[in-house]
Amino acid sequence: MLLLIGITLISFLLTQAVPGDPALANLGQHPTPESIRAFHEKYGLDDPLPVQYVNYLGNLVQGDLGVSQQTHQPVTDDLSKLVPATAELAVFAIVFSTIFGVGFGVLAALKRDRAVDHGLRVFTLAGISVPMFWLGLLGLYLFFFKWGLLPGGGRLDPTTTPPTDVTGFNTVDALLDGNLNTFWDAFKHLILPGGVLVLYSVSLISRYTRSAVLEVLHADYVRAARAKGLSEFTVVTRYILRAALPSIVTVMGLVFANVLAGAVLVENIFNWPGIGQYAYKSAVSLDLPAIMGVSIFIALVYVIVNLIVDLLYAVIDPRVRLS
Amino acid sequence: MSAVDAALPPSRLRRFKRSRSRSAARSWWRQPTMLIGLTIAAIWIVVAIFAPLLAPHDPLAQDFAITQAPSGAHPFGTDELGRDILSRVLVAARNSLPLAVLLVLCAGTLGTTLGVVAGYVGGWVDGLIMRLADLFSAFPAIVLAMVVTASLGPSTRNAVLALVTVTWPIYARVVRSLVLSIGQAEYVQAFRLHGASARRAMWKEVLPNVMGPIIVLATIYLADALLLLAGLSFLGLGTQPPTPEWGSMISVGTQYFQNWWMATFPGLAIFSAALAFNFIGDGLRDVFDPQSQIGSGARGGSESVEEDA
């Protein structure tokens, strides 16, 4: 709770440190003194700072984040439209990176110091070293411009009718509609931006999984399981991965954070209408309510994810007690 | 050698290296990735120092031969103003690399200091510092940095300032838990029993042992710093034109999408430099952290450290 108040205070103070007048940034080329005064009046910009903050908090508690000066829509409306797009991208990235990351990590640990391990080590180091925005651009150039295999940005082809809005995830909604063409189109749009995010997360997960697996690989109970004659598959999934699970859950929190941060860059390259692009657009146009809304929302998601990780931790690892 | 070596006072570094066993020193060189990383980093440092001599053209000189594909005269092609991209990539190293080092130094110093204070003083000071750390890490680095630079105005200085604000908690957390756990160690207790003051034990025993993990962390975050700075410049919130900068060159490249060379070469520069630092950091980890001989994997090591505390 204290953390949340701190977060709102920080984002509020930051946006107040703006030397530029948001009225000038939003009123076009030739603002008149009257229009500037009206703008200030409308957004309460002339009130003393503490009054503005308390007003903001009061509205926030009622779920009102103010009105964006750019889209002229309530920020909560903007966010609720954009969040599903980012969430779809994030879920895609997290699901695929978990599958491959855990797989690679286990493989590297089992084949420790062999060629596979060294290869994966170089691959994962490369994965965390490559600038995401550059990789995305390269992907666009090759797969869209050169070979025409994948679409060039956005969530759907302009000619495709959007599916009925149920979950906000285009792929899921298309399946609910039973429309395979739309599903395929939405999926193809996900591949490049999602893939860029996956590469980074795969590297993180795989490195953590490898070290977690190595820690238990030669434990007595694992040897005992092998001695019992259990199959390698059972030993790995039931014994080794079970023990490595807390570490993997911990890294998931980190991965989630990185996916959200990466979304800011990736959404801008792929013209993906999510909160990353919204955050960027509102930051460059000094749209204060929108910047505050987005940063508070993202921080809130962060806090919740970390809480979930902690709770999961207690469920998975019987040694951890919730106090 | 590497930027991190330069970042440490020589006396402490020597002491630090002497304290390592010989076998560890040998395993340094057995790792090909470490060697590759050191080589690439050395090349980039030479480039950064001698860029004006190495660049075939003036990086700011405009020419009518705009957006030309790579050729003999312009190995990396020319950009939208006819400037030679090879020269710009080389000269940008003078800008990007020192900035990344500066960022890591500032955030590292601030974070280490606060971490030591938190771990050493304890009590409400500890609580306050760590809650502040929680607060600043509740935002993704790039989002908070974006807000800070947007508020203060886009410039190189503000980008560094913004990234220091969001990255110091990483160091503070690790240092705090190290100070706490090393402070409990028997050899430190023995030192205290010999009559050393807490402050003296801190300087003589605790800090030197904290430096190892900090160096590893700093090397790995050098790569991160490079990527974050380039990301901010890519968004137009870092170094401003016409100064050549890798991130902003890629950003221009997105507008001239069909001319692949405009974004590809600056991107390769970022990638190779970041990869070099990650290779070195990964190798240093194995040397400094005997634990990681079993699991030379986890990035930064902050997790394992925090579990210990």
Side-chain angles (χ1 to χ4, degrees):
Chain A
M1 190 61 215
L2 212 60
L3 190 63
L4 288 181
I5 292 179
I7 289 166
T8 58
L9 191 62
I10 283 201
S11 48
F12 182 78
L13 288 179
L14 273 179
T15 51
Q16 294 306 323
V18 183
D21 187 336
L24 298 180
N26 281 281
L27 285 178
Q29 291 281 317
H30 303 289
T32 60
E34 291 82 52
S35 65
I36 292 178
R37 208 173 308 126
F39 190 90
H40 279 212
E41 191 113 333
K42 188 172 170 197
Y43 295 103
L45 295 176
D46 289 332
D47 292 337
L49 278 190
V51 175
Q52 286 192 39
Y53 179 61
V54 171
N55 282 342
Y56 186 82
L57 267 192
N59 291 334
L60 183 68
V61 173
Q62 296 161 26
D64 177 7
L65 290 167
V67 175
S68 159
Q69 291 156 3
Q70 222 194 357
T71 62
H72 305 289
Q73 301 283 325
V75 175
T76 32
D77 286 9
D78 280 347
L79 284 182
S80 62
K81 249 181 290 167
L82 301 173
V83 164
T86 303
E88 187 174 27
L89 198 58
V91 168
F92 177 92
I94 287 175
V95 167
F96 281 92
S97 52
T98 310
I99 297 172
F100 288 107
V102 171
F104 287 168
V106 170
L107 188 67
L110 291 179
K111 305 275 178 197
R112 189 185 167 204
D113 284 337
R114 304 258 202 83
V116 187
D117 184 25
H118 291 307
L120 281 173
R121 180 176 167 130
V122 171
F123 171 78
T124 53
L125 282 171
I128 53 176
S129 303
V130 67
M132 276 189 217
F133 50 97
W134 177 67
L135 194 67
L137 201 61
L138 224 56
L140 268 184
Y141 179 79
L142 292 176
F143 291 95
F144 168 64
F145 183 70
K146 262 267 171 301
W147 303 328
L149 291 176
L150 291 170
R155 294 183 72 189
L156 280 176
D157 212 58
T159 54
T160 310
T161 5
T164 341
D165 189 4
V166 184
T167 57
F169 286 26
N170 278 343
T171 43
V172 178
D173 286 350
L175 282 184
L176 288 179
D177 280 358
N179 191 336
L180 281 179
N181 283 334
T182 312
F183 168 78
W184 182 232
D185 188 45
F187 189 77
K188 274 201 298 192
H189 280 81
L190 266 174
I191 292 177
L192 271 183
V196 171
L197 291 174
V198 164
L199 186 70
Y200 189 88
S201 313
V202 156
S203 306
L204 272 187
I205 298 176
S206 145
R207 293 169 67 75
Y208 270 86
T209 307
R210 177 181 180 275
S211 46
V213 168
L214 280 179
E215 260 169 43
V216 293
L217 195 55
H218 298 294
D220 288 340
Y221 72 92
V222 173
R223 202 174 305 156
R226 283 223 168 87
K228 271 200 296 189
L230 293 177
S231 72
E232 187 65 21
F233 181 79
T234 316
V235 173
V236 168
T237 51
R238 287 286 170 81
Y239 291 80
I240 295 176
L241 269 186
R242 179 69 185 79
L245 208 54
S247 299
I248 297 172
V249 168
T250 312
V251 73
M252 291 315 291
L254 203 64
V255 164
F256 190 86
N258 275 303
V259 164
L260 264 190
V264 175
L265 293 166
V266 168
E267 286 182 3
N268 275 299
I269 296 166
F270 291 96
N271 195 24
W272 191 265
I275 51 172
Q277 203 185 29
Y278 186 69
Y280 171 68
K281 280 185 180 160
S282 46
V284 287
S285 64
L286 297 184
D287 186 348
L288 302 188
I291 305 173
M292 284 182 67
V294 162
S295 44
I296 289 172
F297 176 78
I298 291 181
L300 192 69
V301 172
Y302 248 51
V303 173
I304 294 175
V305 165
N306 280 324
L307 196 69
I308 294 175
V309 166
D310 284 349
L311 289 177
L312 270 181
Y313 213 78
V315 173
I316 293 170
D317 191 341
R319 286 168 299 181
V320 175
R321 289 266 166 82
L322 285 178
S323 53
Chain B
M1 216 181 308
S2 75
V4 175
D5 284 9
L8 267 185
S11 59
R12 197 174 296 169
L13 190 68
R14 234 178 289 125
R15 184 198 156 96
F16 193 56
K17 281 186 174 157
R18 228 189 302 129
S19 66
R20 302 293 146 190
S21 72
R22 233 165 240 190
S23 65
R26 242 184 281 127
S27 75
W28 253 60
W29 304 103
R30 239 186 277 141
Q31 276 185 25
T33 48
M34 178 89 173
L35 266 184
I36 296 169
L38 285 171
T39 314
I40 301 177
I43 292 175
W44 274 121
I45 289 168
V46 170
V47 166
I49 296 171
F50 298 107
L53 301 174
L54 293 170
H57 298 272
D58 178 352
L60 298 178
Q62 304 184 7
D63 195 274
F64 288 113
I66 59 165
T67 61
Q68 284 196 336
S71 63
H74 301 285
F76 288 2
T78 61
D79 69 4
E80 81 288 5
L81 297 172
R83 296 172 295 195
D84 180 51
I85 291 180
L86 172 62
S87 308
R88 287 178 70 72
V89 167
L90 293 179
V91 171
R94 315 193 78 166
N95 187 9
S96 307
L97 294 177
L99 276 182
V101 174
L102 180 74
L103 170 57
V104 167
L105 270 183
C106 292
T109 314
L110 183 66
T112 308
T113 314
L114 288 176
V116 168
V117 169
Y120 178 73
V121 178
W124 67 268
V125 178
D126 181 20
L128 181 71
I129 291 176
M130 291 335 282
R131 290 298 82 71
L132 272 180
D134 285 348
L135 196 55
F136 281 103
S137 37
F139 299 89
I142 197 127
V143 173
L144 191 55
M146 214 165 69
V147 179
V148 173
T149 38
S151 322
L152 301 177
S155 73
T156 312
R157 198 200 54 183
N158 290 343
V160 174
L161 210 66
L163 290 175
V164 169
T165 323
V166 294
T167 47
W168 69 266
I170 301 160
Y171 304 92
R173 286 225 182 82
V174 175
V175 171
R176 174 182 172 270
S177 47
L178 281 172
V179 166
L180 285 179
S181 62
I182 294 175
Q184 305 292 319
E186 281 164 8
Y187 61 90
V188 178
Q189 298 297 330
F191 194 61
R192 292 290 311 276
L193 281 176
H194 277 86
S197 69
R199 187 160 311 198
R200 197 173 140 76
M202 174 65 65
W203 281 106
K204 285 280 174 194
E205 298 291 344
V206 178
L207 267 185
N209 283 298
V210 169
M211 285 324 289
I214 290 299
I215 294 177
V216 177
L217 203 61
T219 318
I220 294 172
Y221 275 95
L222 207 52
D224 253 27
L226 208 61
L227 292 176
L228 280 172
L229 281 166
L232 275 186
S233 298
F234 173 77
L235 293 174
L237 298 169
T239 307
Q240 296 298 301
T243 314
E245 206 279 339
W246 294 332
S248 53
M249 288 170 78
I250 297 178
S251 162
V252 174
T254 54
Q255 294 154 35
Y256 296 86
F257 186 62
Q258 60 287 10
N259 306 327
W260 58 270
W261 58 90
M262 287 178 64
T264 305
F265 292 112
L268 277 176
I270 305 175
F271 180 40
S272 62
L275 190 64
F277 293 135
N278 270 325
F279 274 170
I280 298 173
D282 195 54
L284 283 180
R285 233 188 103 79
D286 289 351
V287 179
F288 285 144
D289 182 6
Q291 278 278 306
S292 76
Q293 292 293 347
I294 330 164
S296 63
R299 177 187 179 79
S302 51
E303 304 301 319
S304 59
V305 165
E306 251 157 1
E307 279 166 27
D308 293 342

